[in-house]
Coordinates of all heavy atoms in Angstrom, one line a residue:
M1 N 0.8 -1.2 0.0 CA 0.0 0.0 0.0 C 0.9 1.3 0.0 O 0.5 2.2 -0.7 CB -0.9 -0.1 1.3 CG -1.9 1.1 1.3 SD -3.1 0.8 0.1 CE -4.2 2.0 0.5
F2 N 2.0 1.2 0.8 CA 2.9 2.4 0.8 C 3.4 2.7 -0.6 O 3.5 3.9 -1.0 CB 4.0 2.1 1.8 CG 5.1 3.1 1.8 CD1 4.9 4.4 2.4 CD2 6.3 2.9 1.2 CE1 5.9 5.3 2.4 CE2 7.3 3.8 1.1 CZ 7.1 5.1 1.7
W3 N 3.9 1.7 -1.3 CA 4.4 1.9 -2.6 C 3.4 2.5 -3.6 O 3.7 3.4 -4.4 CB 5.0 0.7 -3.2 CG 6.3 0.3 -2.4 CD1 6.4 -0.8 -1.5 CD2 7.5 0.9 -2.5 NE1 7.7 -0.8 -1.0 CE2 8.4 0.3 -1.6 CE3 8.0 2.0 -3.2 CZ2 9.7 0.6 -1.4 CZ3 9.3 2.4 -3.0 CH2 10.1 1.7 -2.1
F4 N 2.2 2.0 -3.5 CA 1.1 2.5 -4.4 C 0.9 4.0 -4.1 O 0.8 4.8 -5.0 CB -0.2 1.7 -4.1 CG -1.4 2.3 -4.9 CD1 -1.4 2.1 -6.3 CD2 -2.4 3.0 -4.3 CE1 -2.5 2.6 -7.0 CE2 -3.4 3.5 -5.0 CZ -3.5 3.3 -6.4
L5 N 0.8 4.4 -2.8 CA 0.6 5.9 -2.5 C 1.8 6.7 -3.0 O 1.6 7.8 -3.5 CB 0.4 6.0 -1.0 CG -1.0 5.5 -0.5 CD1 -1.0 5.6 1.1 CD2 -2.1 6.3 -1.1
L6 N 3.0 6.2 -2.8 CA 4.2 6.9 -3.2 C 4.2 7.1 -4.7 O 4.5 8.2 -5.2 CB 5.4 6.2 -2.7 CG 6.8 6.9 -3.0 CD1 6.9 8.2 -2.3 CD2 7.9 5.9 -2.7
I7 N 3.9 6.1 -5.5 CA 3.9 6.2 -6.9 C 2.8 7.1 -7.4 O 3.0 7.9 -8.3 CB 3.8 4.8 -7.6 CG1 5.1 4.0 -7.3 CG2 3.5 4.9 -9.1 CD1 5.0 2.5 -7.7
T8 N 1.7 7.0 -6.8 CA 0.5 7.9 -7.1 C 0.9 9.3 -6.9 O 0.6 10.2 -7.7 CB -0.7 7.5 -6.3 OG1 -1.0 6.1 -6.5 CG2 -1.9 8.3 -6.7
M9 N 1.5 9.6 -5.7 CA 1.9 11.0 -5.4 C 3.0 11.5 -6.4 O 2.9 12.7 -6.8 CB 2.5 11.0 -4.0 CG 2.6 12.4 -3.4 SD 2.8 12.5 -1.6 CE 4.2 11.4 -1.3
V10 N 3.9 10.7 -6.8 CA 4.9 11.1 -7.7 C 4.3 11.4 -9.1 O 4.6 12.4 -9.8 CB 6.0 10.0 -7.9 CG1 6.9 10.3 -9.1 CG2 6.9 9.9 -6.6
V11 N 3.3 10.6 -9.5 CA 2.7 10.8 -10.8 C 1.8 12.1 -10.7 O 1.9 12.9 -11.7 CB 1.8 9.6 -11.1 CG1 0.8 9.9 -12.3 CG2 2.6 8.4 -11.5
V12 N 1.2 12.4 -9.6 CA 0.4 13.6 -9.5 C 1.3 14.8 -9.5 O 1.0 15.8 -10.2 CB -0.5 13.5 -8.2 CG1 -1.1 14.9 -7.9 CG2 -1.6 12.5 -8.4
V13 N 2.4 14.8 -8.8 CA 3.3 15.9 -8.7 C 3.9 16.1 -10.1 O 4.0 17.3 -10.6 CB 4.4 15.7 -7.7 CG1 5.5 16.7 -7.8 CG2 3.8 15.7 -6.3
A14 N 4.2 15.1 -10.8 CA 4.8 15.2 -12.2 C 3.7 15.8 -13.1 O 4.1 16.7 -14.0 CB 5.3 13.9 -12.7
A15 N 2.5 15.4 -13.0 CA 1.5 15.9 -13.9 C 1.2 17.4 -13.6 O 1.1 18.2 -14.6 CB 0.2 15.1 -13.7
V16 N 1.2 17.8 -12.4 CA 1.0 19.2 -12.0 C 2.1 20.0 -12.5 O 2.0 21.1 -13.0 CB 0.7 19.3 -10.5 CG1 0.8 20.8 -10.1 CG2 -0.6 18.7 -10.1
T17 N 3.3 19.5 -12.3 CA 4.5 20.2 -12.8 C 4.5 20.4 -14.3 O 4.8 21.6 -14.8 CB 5.8 19.5 -12.4 OG1 5.8 19.3 -10.9 CG2 7.0 20.2 -12.8
L18 N 4.2 19.4 -15.0 CA 4.1 19.5 -16.5 C 3.0 20.5 -16.9 O 3.2 21.3 -17.9 CB 3.9 18.2 -17.1 CG 5.1 17.3 -17.2 CD1 4.7 15.9 -17.7 CD2 6.2 17.9 -18.0
A19 N 1.9 20.5 -16.2 CA 0.8 21.4 -16.6 C 1.2 22.9 -16.3 O 0.9 23.8 -17.1 CB -0.5 21.0 -15.8
V20 N 1.9 23.1 -15.2 CA 2.3 24.5 -14.8 C 3.4 25.0 -15.8 O 3.4 26.1 -16.3 CB 2.7 24.5 -13.4 CG1 3.4 25.9 -13.1 CG2 1.5 24.3 -12.4
V21 N 4.4 24.1 -16.0 CA 5.5 24.5 -16.8 C 5.1 24.6 -18.3 O 5.7 25.4 -19.0 CB 6.7 23.6 -16.6 CG1 7.8 23.8 -17.6 CG2 7.2 23.6 -15.2
G22 N 4.2 23.8 -18.7 CA 3.7 23.8 -20.1 C 4.6 22.9 -20.9 O 5.3 23.3 -21.8
G23 N 4.6 21.6 -20.6 CA 5.5 20.7 -21.1 C 5.3 20.4 -22.6 O 5.3 19.2 -23.0
G24 N 5.1 21.4 -23.4 CA 4.9 21.1 -24.9 C 5.2 22.4 -25.6 O 5.9 23.3 -25.2
D25 N 4.6 22.5 -26.8 CA 4.8 23.7 -27.6 C 3.9 24.8 -27.2 O 4.1 26.0 -27.7 CB 4.5 23.3 -29.1 CG 5.6 22.4 -29.6 OD1 6.7 22.4 -29.1 OD2 5.3 21.6 -30.6
S26 N 2.9 24.6 -26.4 CA 2.0 25.6 -26.0 C 2.7 26.6 -25.0 O 3.5 26.2 -24.2 CB 0.7 25.0 -25.3 OG 1.1 24.4 -24.1
E27 N 2.3 27.9 -25.1 CA 2.9 28.8 -24.2 C 2.1 29.0 -22.9 O 0.9 28.7 -22.9 CB 3.0 30.2 -24.9 CG 3.8 30.2 -26.1 CD 3.8 31.6 -26.8 OE1 3.5 32.6 -26.1 OE2 4.0 31.6 -28.0
V28 N 2.8 29.3 -21.9 CA 2.1 29.5 -20.6 C 1.1 30.7 -20.7 O 0.0 30.7 -20.4 CB 3.1 29.7 -19.4 CG1 2.3 30.0 -18.2 CG2 3.9 28.4 -19.3
L29 N 1.7 31.9 -21.2 CA 0.9 33.1 -21.4 C 0.9 33.3 -22.9 O 1.9 33.7 -23.5 CB 1.5 34.3 -20.7 CG 1.4 34.3 -19.2 CD1 2.1 35.5 -18.7 CD2 -0.1 34.4 -18.8
P30 N -0.3 33.1 -23.6 CA -0.3 33.4 -25.0 C -0.1 34.9 -25.3 O -0.5 35.7 -24.5 CB -1.7 32.9 -25.4 CG -2.5 33.0 -24.2 CD -1.6 32.7 -23.0
E31 N 0.5 35.2 -26.4 CA 0.7 36.6 -26.8 C -0.6 37.2 -27.1 O -1.4 36.7 -27.9 CB 1.6 36.6 -28.1 CG 3.1 36.4 -27.8 CD 3.7 37.4 -26.9 OE1 3.4 38.6 -27.0 OE2 4.5 37.0 -26.0
A32 N -0.8 38.4 -26.5 CA -2.1 39.1 -26.7 C -1.8 40.1 -27.8 O -0.7 40.6 -27.9 CB -2.5 39.8 -25.4
A33 N -2.8 40.4 -28.5 CA -2.7 41.5 -29.6 C -2.4 42.8 -28.9 O -3.2 43.2 -28.0 CB -3.9 41.5 -30.4
P34 N -1.4 43.5 -29.3 CA -1.1 44.7 -28.6 C -2.1 45.8 -28.9 O -2.6 45.9 -30.0 CB 0.3 45.1 -29.1 CG 0.4 44.4 -30.5 CD -0.4 43.2 -30.3
E35 N -2.3 46.6 -27.8 CA -3.2 47.8 -28.0 C -2.3 48.9 -28.7 O -1.1 48.9 -28.5 CB -3.7 48.3 -26.7 CG -4.6 47.3 -26.0 CD -5.1 47.9 -24.7 OE1 -5.2 49.1 -24.5 OE2 -5.4 47.1 -23.8
Q36 N -3.0 49.8 -29.3 CA -2.2 50.9 -29.9 C -2.6 52.2 -29.1 O -3.7 52.3 -28.6 CB -2.6 51.1 -31.4 CG -2.2 49.9 -32.2 CD -0.7 49.7 -32.2 OE1 0.1 50.6 -32.3 NE2 -0.3 48.4 -32.1
L37 N -1.7 53.1 -29.1 CA -1.9 54.4 -28.5 C -3.0 55.1 -29.2 O -2.8 55.5 -30.4 CB -0.6 55.2 -28.4 CG -0.6 56.4 -27.6 CD1 -0.9 56.1 -26.1 CD2 0.8 57.1 -27.6
V38 N -4.2 55.3 -28.6 CA -5.3 55.9 -29.3 C -5.2 57.4 -29.5 O -5.4 57.9 -30.6 CB -6.6 55.5 -28.5 CG1 -7.8 56.2 -29.2 CG2 -6.8 54.0 -28.4
D39 N -4.9 58.1 -28.4 CA -4.8 59.5 -28.5 C -3.4 60.0 -28.1 O -3.1 60.4 -27.0 CB -5.8 60.1 -27.5 CG -6.0 61.6 -27.7 OD1 -5.6 62.1 -28.8 OD2 -6.5 62.3 -26.8
P40 N -2.5 60.0 -29.1 CA -1.1 60.3 -28.8 C -1.0 61.8 -28.5 O -2.0 62.6 -28.7 CB -0.3 60.0 -30.0 CG -1.3 60.0 -31.1 CD -2.6 59.6 -30.5
L41 N 0.2 62.3 -28.1 CA 0.4 63.7 -27.8 C 0.3 64.4 -29.2 O 0.7 63.9 -30.2 CB 1.7 63.9 -27.2 CG 1.9 63.2 -25.8 CD1 3.3 63.3 -25.3 CD2 0.9 63.8 -24.8
P42 N -0.2 65.7 -29.1 CA -0.3 66.4 -30.4 C 1.0 66.7 -31.0 O 2.0 67.1 -30.3 CB -1.0 67.7 -29.9 CG -0.8 67.8 -28.5 CD -0.6 66.4 -28.0
L43 N 1.1 66.6 -32.3 CA 2.3 66.8 -33.1 C 2.4 68.2 -33.6 O 3.4 68.7 -33.9 CB 2.4 65.8 -34.2 CG 2.5 64.4 -33.8 CD1 2.5 63.5 -35.1 CD2 3.8 64.1 -33.0
T44 N 1.2 68.9 -33.7 CA 1.2 70.2 -34.3 C 1.3 71.4 -33.4 O 1.4 72.5 -33.8 CB -0.2 70.4 -35.1 OG1 -1.2 70.2 -34.1 CG2 -0.3 69.3 -36.2
R45 N 1.4 71.1 -32.1 CA 1.5 72.2 -31.1 C 2.2 71.6 -29.9 O 2.3 70.4 -29.7 CB 0.1 72.7 -30.7 CG -0.8 71.7 -30.0 CD -2.1 72.3 -29.6 NE -3.0 71.2 -29.1 CZ -3.0 70.7 -27.9 NH1 -2.0 71.0 -27.1 NH2 -3.8 69.7 -27.6
P46 N 2.7 72.5 -29.0 CA 3.4 72.1 -27.8 C 2.4 71.3 -26.9 O 1.2 71.6 -26.9 CB 3.9 73.3 -27.1 CG 3.9 74.4 -28.2 CD 2.8 74.0 -29.2
V47 N 2.9 70.4 -26.1 CA 2.1 69.6 -25.2 C 1.8 70.5 -24.0 O 2.7 71.2 -23.5 CB 2.9 68.4 -24.7 CG1 2.2 67.6 -23.7 CG2 3.2 67.5 -25.9
D48 N 0.6 70.4 -23.5 CA 0.3 71.2 -22.3 C -0.2 70.2 -21.2 O -0.2 69.0 -21.4 CB -0.8 72.3 -22.6 CG -2.1 71.7 -23.1 OD1 -2.3 70.5 -23.1 OD2 -3.0 72.5 -23.5
R49 N -0.5 70.7 -20.1 CA -0.9 69.9 -18.9 C -2.1 69.0 -19.2 O -2.1 67.9 -18.8 CB -1.1 70.8 -17.7 CG -1.5 70.0 -16.5 CD -1.8 71.0 -15.3 NE -2.1 70.2 -14.1 CZ -1.7 70.5 -12.9 NH1 -1.0 71.6 -12.7 NH2 -2.1 69.8 -11.9
A50 N -3.1 69.5 -19.9 CA -4.3 68.8 -20.2 C -4.0 67.6 -21.1 O -4.6 66.5 -20.9 CB -5.3 69.7 -20.8
D51 N -3.0 67.7 -22.0 CA -2.7 66.6 -22.9 C -2.1 65.5 -22.0 O -2.4 64.3 -22.3 CB -1.6 67.1 -23.9 CG -2.2 68.1 -24.9 OD1 -3.4 67.9 -25.2 OD2 -1.5 68.9 -25.4
V52 N -1.2 65.8 -21.1 CA -0.5 64.8 -20.3 C -1.6 64.2 -19.3 O -1.5 62.9 -19.2 CB 0.6 65.4 -19.5 CG1 1.2 64.4 -18.5 CG2 1.7 66.0 -20.4
E53 N -2.5 65.0 -18.8 CA -3.5 64.4 -17.9 C -4.4 63.5 -18.6 O -4.9 62.5 -18.1 CB -4.2 65.5 -17.2 CG -3.4 66.2 -16.1 CD -4.1 67.4 -15.5 OE1 -5.2 67.7 -16.0 OE2 -3.6 67.9 -14.5
A54 N -4.7 63.8 -19.9 CA -5.7 63.0 -20.7 C -5.0 61.8 -21.3 O -5.7 60.9 -21.8 CB -6.3 63.8 -21.8
L55 N -3.7 61.7 -21.3 CA -3.0 60.6 -21.9 C -3.2 59.3 -21.2 O -3.0 59.2 -20.0 CB -1.5 60.9 -22.0 CG -0.6 59.9 -22.6 CD1 -0.9 59.8 -24.1 CD2 0.9 60.3 -22.4
R56 N -3.6 58.3 -21.9 CA -3.7 56.9 -21.3 C -2.9 56.0 -22.2 O -3.2 55.8 -23.4 CB -5.2 56.5 -21.3 CG -6.1 57.4 -20.4 CD -5.7 57.2 -19.0 NE -6.4 58.1 -18.1 CZ -5.9 59.2 -17.6 NH1 -4.7 59.6 -17.8 NH2 -6.7 60.0 -16.8
L57 N -1.9 55.4 -21.6 CA -1.0 54.5 -22.3 C -1.7 53.1 -22.3 O -2.3 52.7 -21.4 CB 0.3 54.4 -21.6 CG 1.1 55.7 -21.6 CD1 2.3 55.6 -20.7 CD2 1.5 56.1 -23.0
P58 N -1.6 52.4 -23.5 CA -2.2 51.1 -23.6 C -1.4 50.1 -22.7 O -0.2 50.1 -22.5 CB -2.0 50.7 -25.1 CG -0.9 51.6 -25.5 CD -0.9 52.8 -24.7
V59 N -2.2 49.1 -22.2 CA -1.7 48.1 -21.3 C -1.5 46.8 -22.1 O -2.4 46.4 -22.8 CB -2.6 47.9 -20.1 CG1 -2.0 46.8 -19.2 CG2 -2.7 49.2 -19.3
A60 N -0.4 46.2 -22.0 CA -0.2 44.9 -22.6 C -0.3 43.8 -21.6 O -0.6 44.1 -20.4 CB 1.2 44.8 -23.2
A61 N -0.2 42.5 -22.0 CA -0.4 41.4 -21.0 C 0.6 41.5 -19.9 O 0.3 41.1 -18.8 CB -0.2 40.1 -21.8
R62 N 1.8 42.0 -20.1 CA 2.8 42.0 -19.1 C 3.1 43.4 -18.6 O 4.2 43.7 -18.1 CB 4.1 41.4 -19.6 CG 3.9 39.9 -19.8 CD 5.1 39.3 -20.4 NE 4.9 37.9 -20.7 CZ 4.5 37.4 -21.9 NH1 4.3 38.2 -22.9 NH2 4.4 36.1 -22.0
G63 N 2.2 44.4 -18.7 CA 2.4 45.7 -18.3 C 2.2 46.7 -19.4 O 1.5 46.4 -20.4
Y64 N 2.8 47.9 -19.3 CA 2.7 48.9 -20.3 C 3.6 48.5 -21.5 O 4.6 47.9 -21.3 CB 3.0 50.3 -19.8 CG 2.0 50.8 -18.9 CD1 2.2 50.9 -17.5 CD2 0.8 51.4 -19.4 CE1 1.2 51.4 -16.6 CE2 -0.1 51.9 -18.5 CZ 0.1 51.9 -17.2 OH -0.9 52.4 -16.3
R65 N 3.2 48.9 -22.7 CA 4.0 48.7 -23.8 C 5.2 49.7 -23.8 O 5.1 50.9 -23.8 CB 3.3 48.9 -25.1 CG 2.1 47.9 -25.3 CD 1.5 48.0 -26.6 NE 2.4 47.7 -27.7 CZ 2.4 48.3 -28.8 NH1 1.6 49.3 -29.1 NH2 3.3 48.0 -29.7
M66 N 6.4 49.1 -23.7 CA 7.6 49.9 -23.5 C 7.8 50.9 -24.6 O 8.3 52.0 -24.4 CB 8.8 49.0 -23.3 CG 8.9 48.3 -22.0 SD 10.4 47.4 -21.7 CE 10.3 46.1 -22.8
E67 N 7.5 50.5 -25.8 CA 7.7 51.4 -27.0 C 6.9 52.7 -26.8 O 7.4 53.8 -27.1 CB 7.4 50.6 -28.2 CG 7.7 51.4 -29.5 CD 7.3 50.6 -30.7 OE1 7.7 49.4 -30.8 OE2 6.7 51.2 -31.6
D68 N 5.6 52.5 -26.4 CA 4.8 53.7 -26.3 C 5.2 54.6 -25.1 O 5.2 55.8 -25.3 CB 3.3 53.3 -26.1 CG 2.7 52.7 -27.3 OD1 3.1 53.0 -28.4 OD2 1.7 51.9 -27.2
V69 N 5.6 54.0 -24.0 CA 6.1 54.7 -22.9 C 7.4 55.5 -23.2 O 7.5 56.7 -22.9 CB 6.3 53.8 -21.7 CG1 6.9 54.6 -20.5 CG2 5.0 53.2 -21.2
D70 N 8.3 54.8 -23.9 CA 9.5 55.5 -24.3 C 9.3 56.6 -25.3 O 9.9 57.7 -25.1 CB 10.5 54.5 -25.0 CG 11.0 53.5 -24.0 OD1 11.0 53.7 -22.8 OD2 11.5 52.4 -24.5
D71 N 8.3 56.5 -26.2 CA 8.0 57.6 -27.1 C 7.4 58.8 -26.4 O 7.8 59.9 -26.7 CB 7.0 57.1 -28.2 CG 7.6 56.1 -29.2 OD1 8.8 56.0 -29.3 OD2 6.8 55.5 -29.9
V72 N 6.5 58.5 -25.5 CA 5.9 59.6 -24.7 C 7.0 60.3 -23.9 O 7.1 61.6 -23.8 CB 4.8 59.1 -23.8 CG1 4.3 60.2 -22.8 CG2 3.6 58.7 -24.7
L73 N 7.8 59.6 -23.2 CA 8.9 60.2 -22.3 C 9.9 60.9 -23.2 O 10.3 62.0 -22.7 CB 9.5 59.1 -21.5 CG 8.7 58.5 -20.4 CD1 9.4 57.4 -19.7 CD2 8.2 59.5 -19.4
D74 N 10.3 60.4 -24.3 CA 11.2 61.1 -25.2 C 10.6 62.5 -25.6 O 11.3 63.5 -25.7 CB 11.6 60.3 -26.4 CG 12.4 59.1 -26.1 OD1 13.0 59.1 -25.0 OD2 12.6 58.2 -26.9
R75 N 9.3 62.4 -26.0 CA 8.7 63.7 -26.5 C 8.6 64.7 -25.4 O 8.9 65.9 -25.6 CB 7.3 63.3 -27.0 CG 6.4 64.5 -27.3 CD 6.7 65.1 -28.7 NE 6.0 66.3 -28.9 CZ 4.8 66.4 -29.3 NH1 4.1 65.4 -29.7 NH2 4.2 67.6 -29.5
L76 N 8.2 64.2 -24.2 CA 8.1 65.2 -23.0 C 9.4 65.7 -22.6 O 9.6 66.9 -22.3 CB 7.4 64.5 -21.9 CG 5.9 64.1 -22.0 CD1 5.4 63.4 -20.8 CD2 5.1 65.4 -22.2
A77 N 10.5 64.9 -22.7 CA 11.8 65.3 -22.3 C 12.3 66.4 -23.3 O 12.9 67.4 -22.9 CB 12.8 64.2 -22.3
A78 N 12.0 66.2 -24.6 CA 12.5 67.1 -25.6 C 11.7 68.4 -25.5 O 12.4 69.5 -25.6 CB 12.2 66.5 -27.0
E79 N 10.5 68.4 -25.2 CA 9.7 69.6 -25.0 C 10.1 70.4 -23.8 O 10.2 71.6 -23.7 CB 8.2 69.4 -25.0 CG 7.7 69.0 -26.4 CD 6.3 69.4 -26.7 OE1 5.7 70.2 -25.9 OE2 5.7 68.9 -27.7
L80 N 10.4 69.7 -22.7 CA 10.9 70.3 -21.5 C 12.2 70.9 -21.7 O 12.5 72.1 -21.2 CB 10.9 69.3 -20.3 CG 9.6 68.9 -19.7 CD1 9.8 67.8 -18.7 CD2 8.8 70.0 -19.1
A81 N 13.1 70.3 -22.4 CA 14.4 70.9 -22.7 C 14.3 72.1 -23.5 O 15.0 73.1 -23.3 CB 15.3 69.8 -23.4
E82 N 13.4 72.1 -24.5 CA 13.1 73.2 -25.4 C 12.6 74.4 -24.5 O 13.1 75.5 -24.7 CB 12.1 72.8 -26.4 CG 12.2 73.5 -27.7 CD 11.2 72.9 -28.7 OE1 11.5 71.8 -29.3 OE2 10.2 73.6 -28.9
R83 N 11.7 74.1 -23.6 CA 11.1 75.2 -22.8 C 12.2 75.7 -21.8 O 12.2 76.9 -21.6 CB 9.9 74.7 -22.0 CG 8.7 74.5 -22.9 CD 7.5 73.9 -22.2 NE 6.5 73.6 -23.2 CZ 5.3 73.1 -22.8 NH1 5.0 72.9 -21.6 NH2 4.4 72.8 -23.8
D84 N 13.0 74.9 -21.3 CA 14.0 75.3 -20.3 C 15.0 76.2 -21.1 O 15.4 77.2 -20.5 CB 14.8 74.1 -19.7 CG 13.9 73.4 -18.7 OD1 12.9 73.9 -18.3 OD2 14.3 72.2 -18.4
A85 N 15.4 75.9 -22.3 CA 16.3 76.7 -23.1 C 15.6 78.1 -23.4 O 16.3 79.1 -23.3 CB 16.7 76.0 -24.4
R86 N 14.4 78.1 -23.7 CA 13.7 79.3 -24.0 C 13.5 80.2 -22.7 O 13.7 81.4 -22.8 CB 12.3 79.0 -24.5 CG 11.4 80.2 -24.9 CD 12.0 81.0 -26.1 NE 11.1 82.1 -26.4 CZ 11.5 83.2 -26.9 NH1 12.7 83.4 -27.2 NH2 10.6 84.2 -27.1
I87 N 13.3 79.6 -21.6 CA 13.2 80.3 -20.3 C 14.6 80.9 -20.0 O 14.7 82.1 -19.6 CB 12.7 79.4 -19.2 CG1 11.2 79.1 -19.4 CG2 12.9 80.0 -17.8 CD1 10.7 78.0 -18.5
A88 N 15.6 80.2 -20.2 CA 17.0 80.7 -19.9 C 17.3 81.8 -20.9 O 17.9 82.9 -20.4 CB 18.0 79.6 -20.1
E89 N 16.9 81.7 -22.1 CA 17.1 82.8 -23.1 C 16.4 84.1 -22.7 O 16.9 85.2 -22.7 CB 16.7 82.3 -24.5 CG 16.8 83.3 -25.6 CD 16.2 82.7 -26.9 OE1 16.4 81.6 -27.2 OE2 15.5 83.5 -27.6
L90 N 15.1 83.9 -22.3 CA 14.3 85.1 -21.9 C 14.8 85.7 -20.6 O 14.9 86.9 -20.5 CB 12.9 84.7 -21.8 CG 12.1 84.3 -23.1 CD1 10.8 83.8 -22.8 CD2 12.1 85.5 -24.0
E91 N 15.3 84.9 -19.7 CA 15.8 85.4 -18.4 C 17.1 86.2 -18.7 O 17.4 87.2 -18.1 CB 16.0 84.3 -17.4 CG 14.8 83.8 -16.8 CD 15.0 82.6 -15.8 OE1 16.1 82.0 -15.9 OE2 14.1 82.3 -15.0
S92 N 17.9 85.7 -19.6 CA 19.2 86.3 -20.0 C 18.9 87.7 -20.6 O 19.5 88.7 -20.3 CB 20.0 85.4 -20.9 OG 21.1 86.1 -21.4
A93 N 17.9 87.7 -21.5 CA 17.5 88.9 -22.2 C 17.0 89.9 -21.2 O 17.3 91.1 -21.3 CB 16.5 88.7 -23.3
L94 N 16.2 89.5 -20.2 CA 15.6 90.3 -19.2 C 16.7 90.9 -18.3 O 16.7 92.1 -18.0 CB 14.6 89.6 -18.4 CG 13.9 90.4 -17.3 CD1 13.0 91.5 -17.9 CD2 13.0 89.4 -16.5
A95 N 17.7 90.1 -17.9 CA 18.8 90.5 -17.1 C 19.6 91.6 -17.9 O 20.0 92.6 -17.3 CB 19.6 89.4 -16.7
G96 N 19.8 91.3 -19.2 CA 20.6 92.3 -20.0 C 19.8 93.6 -20.1 O 20.4 94.7 -20.0
A97 N 18.5 93.5 -20.3 CA 17.7 94.8 -20.4 C 17.7 95.5 -19.1 O 17.8 96.7 -19.1 CB 16.3 94.4 -20.9
A98 N 17.6 94.8 -18.0 CA 17.6 95.4 -16.7 C 18.9 96.1 -16.4 O 19.0 97.1 -15.8 CB 17.2 94.4 -15.6
G99 N 20.0 95.4 -16.8 CA 21.4 95.9 -16.6 C 21.6 97.2 -17.4 O 22.2 98.2 -17.0
D100 N 21.1 97.2 -18.7 CA 21.2 98.4 -19.5 C 20.4 99.6 -19.0 O 20.9 100.7 -19.0 CB 20.7 98.1 -20.9 CG 21.7 97.2 -21.7 OD1 22.8 97.0 -21.2 OD2 21.2 96.6 -22.7
G101 N 19.3 99.3 -18.4 CA 18.4 100.4 -17.9 C 19.0 100.9 -16.6 O 19.0 102.1 -16.4
A102 N 19.7 100.1 -15.8 CA 20.3 100.6 -14.6 C 21.5 101.4 -14.9 O 21.8 102.4 -14.3 CB 20.7 99.4 -13.7
A103 N 22.3 101.0 -16.0 CA 23.5 101.8 -16.4 C 23.1 103.1 -16.9 O 23.8 104.1 -16.7 CB 24.3 101.0 -17.4
E104 N 22.0 103.2 -17.7 CA 21.6 104.5 -18.2 C 21.1 105.4 -17.1 O 21.3 106.7 -17.2 CB 20.5 104.3 -19.3 CG 21.0 103.7 -20.5 CD 19.8 103.4 -21.5 OE1 18.7 103.8 -21.2 OE2 20.1 102.7 -22.5
G105 N 20.5 104.9 -16.1 CA 19.9 105.7 -15.0 C 21.0 106.2 -14.2 O 20.9 107.3 -13.6
D106 N 22.2 105.6 -14.0 CA 23.3 106.0 -13.2 C 24.1 107.1 -13.9 O 24.8 107.9 -13.2 CB 24.2 104.9 -12.8 CG 23.5 103.9 -11.8 OD1 22.6 104.4 -11.2 OD2 23.9 102.8 -11.8
G107 N 24.1 107.2 -15.2 CA 24.9 108.1 -16.0 C 24.4 109.5 -16.1 O 24.9 110.3 -16.9
R108 N 23.4 109.9 -15.4 CA 22.8 111.2 -15.6 C 23.7 112.3 -15.0 O 24.3 112.9 -14.6 CB 21.5 111.3 -14.9 CG 20.4 110.6 -15.6 CD 19.1 110.9 -14.9 NE 18.1 110.2 -15.6 CZ 16.8 110.3 -15.3 NH1 16.4 111.0 -14.3 NH2 16.0 109.6 -15.9

């Protein structure tokens, strides 16, 4: 009786292991058709806060689609760098104009 139970237990453990591991050509998680980004960031104008808040990235079987996330992050990084450069340019021009105005005021 002991040997029968032992062999039965080994067969059950082996069957469960093969079912979990997928002991054949079948995949454990079948590939799902990827979703596409429905409403991407606007290409014709700068991105604003409402665009980012309304953005919904598609979810794949194993999380977010890395390609879509990378595209959005690259676009946002480029626009932020562009805005930072423009802000620095305007602050420099403002400081130059303020310096010129102070120098003219002192020379009376």
Side-chain angles (χ1 to χ4, degrees):
M1 183 71 171
F2 172 76
W3 291 107
F4 175 74
L5 289 175
L6 183 65
I7 292 171
T8 305
M9 194 165 50
V10 168
V11 169
V12 168
V13 168
V16 169
T17 302
L18 283 175
V20 169
V21 172
D25 292 333
S26 64
E27 297 178 23
V28 176
L29 288 176
E31 284 297 320
E35 295 179 27
Q36 297 299 318
L37 190 57
V38 177
D39 190 18
L41 298 175
L43 298 174
T44 58
R45 62 177 173 80
V47 176
D48 61 9
R49 181 181 179 143
D51 294 327
V52 175
E53 288 175 352
L55 181 67
R56 296 294 174 256
L57 297 171
V59 179
R62 294 177 181 95
Y64 289 104
R65 294 187 63 219
M66 288 187 290
E67 184 178 317
D68 289 335
V69 174
D70 290 343
D71 289 345
V72 168
L73 291 177
D74 289 343
R75 172 77 189 277
L76 291 175
E79 289 208 15
L80 287 174
E82 211 174 283
R83 289 179 187 178
D84 289 344
R86 180 69 177 148
I87 289 170
E89 177 185 321
L90 292 172
E91 286 177 343
S92 173
L94 182 62
D100 290 343
E104 289 176 8
D106 291 337
R108 285 187 184 183

